[in-house]
Amino acid sequence: MPQTEKSHNLKRSYILFFTFILLLFQGHAASAAQSKSALLPPRVRINDQAVRAGLLYDLSTDTVVWNKNMHHTYPIASLTKMMVGLLVFEDIRAGKISWDTPIRVTPEATRVGGSMVGLKSGRSLCVEDLMKAALISSGNDATYLLSQYLGGTEKNFVYRMNRRAKQLGMASTGFSNATGMPARKSYNDNYSSPSDLLLLCREMLKYDKLLQITRMGKSVISQGGKRIRLRNHNPLVVTYEEVDGLKTGFTNNAKFCLAATSEKNGRRMIAIVLGVACRSVRNRFVGSILSQSYIALGMGSLHPKTSSAIAIKPKETHSARNAETRHRVGKGDTLYGIAKQHGCSVKQLKSWNCLRGSEIHPGQKLRIHKNSGAICTLMPRPAETTVIYYKVLPGDTLWKISKKYNGISVEKLIRLNRLKRASDLKAGDTVKIVLNLG
């Protein structure tokens, strides 16, 4: 064979070989790109005007998908109990206590006030039941008892809470009590930021037992043979298959707060919102952003457990900015007339504007959601009542108490507590309050 022909064949072999290598590389690159695209965080459009601060986090990609004021600090109310829960989990793992460890109820725990499950002094409950009472029904009495038992005193335990927060990198967090109850001076309220709370949530999710507790819609615990029925304050757990935690909170300063988590097709999301004026708005908002994140990933919205919850697929052609308009109330206007004018219901108007009654006045501006599909809409279950026993402090009046608890009327407080007159109230008395809390 002539030398030129041999060289030509060798050159042709090299070309074929390198072409094969190039095609193989391109195939791997395409496969890697496809795999990478499956992990991309969802892109969502969110109208967050109703939220003081918050974030949506995709655990699979370690990405914050949405945030608003995520590094700013605000009061967090009963989201505080998540730190108590974390320390209990850690003490159990360290062998200091077990889920079956009995704890005798102290008189101090029964007098904490706020949202309580009704523990009786002198009776004993195991750690697991107290954790259920704290995380499911936000029982201040159960939370205080755990802190008192594990720390010797609540004050000592709060020191542990603050120390653990620093260890986790929660630089914008401070605790003054273990329950999240409002302090006598509002600047001493427990506070944190959405970014700090995300660190806490991620640490808690390392414990499988956490979600076994927080996903329960209802539970029953026992103290001395007496059954205590617990109801989860997080309605999204009851409403949606994928939502399995974490914790709600409410005080007048903190407003309605929620740290929620869900998992769909192996993809876990964490949503944190602070400072929402209405419980129903908070629930709709969190349900919406979780649903929308899964829809953006091609997984579909959250799946309702019952017909009482409906997730509506968002219309991507409309922007969130156009989702809300304002109606200025004129003389003679009624909610019925305004609702008819804008093609919505009176119930929707009340929900959008956090109205308890039907009273409106000229000049008032009402929110109108013309395109509720800008974010997914959640229709919550009917509201359920929560009973709170509040210990009257020196200087308290029924009027002051009514303002602390979202405007429950003085007249209703008098009826509930069978008082003859408002002046009958004395420091040290226990006032019964019935309302809907988050």
Side-chain angles (χ1 to χ4, degrees), residues 342-374:
H342 291 280
C344 62
S345 68
V346 172
K347 186 177 180 180
Q348 285 176 312
L349 271 180
K350 287 184 176 182
S351 175
W352 294 335
N353 295 278
C354 305
L355 299 175
R356 287 181 172 271
S358 298
E359 184 178 344
I360 53 176
H361 54 81
Q364 182 178 355
K365 292 182 179 179
L366 299 179
R367 293 186 181 92
I368 308 293
H369 290 261
K370 290 199 170 184
N371 172 29
S372 60

Side-chain angles (χ1 to χ4, degrees), residues 42-54:
R43 293 183 178 182
V44 295
R45 295 176 179 178
I46 296 172
N47 179 2
D48 57 17
Q49 292 180 4
V51 178
R52 180 183 282 167

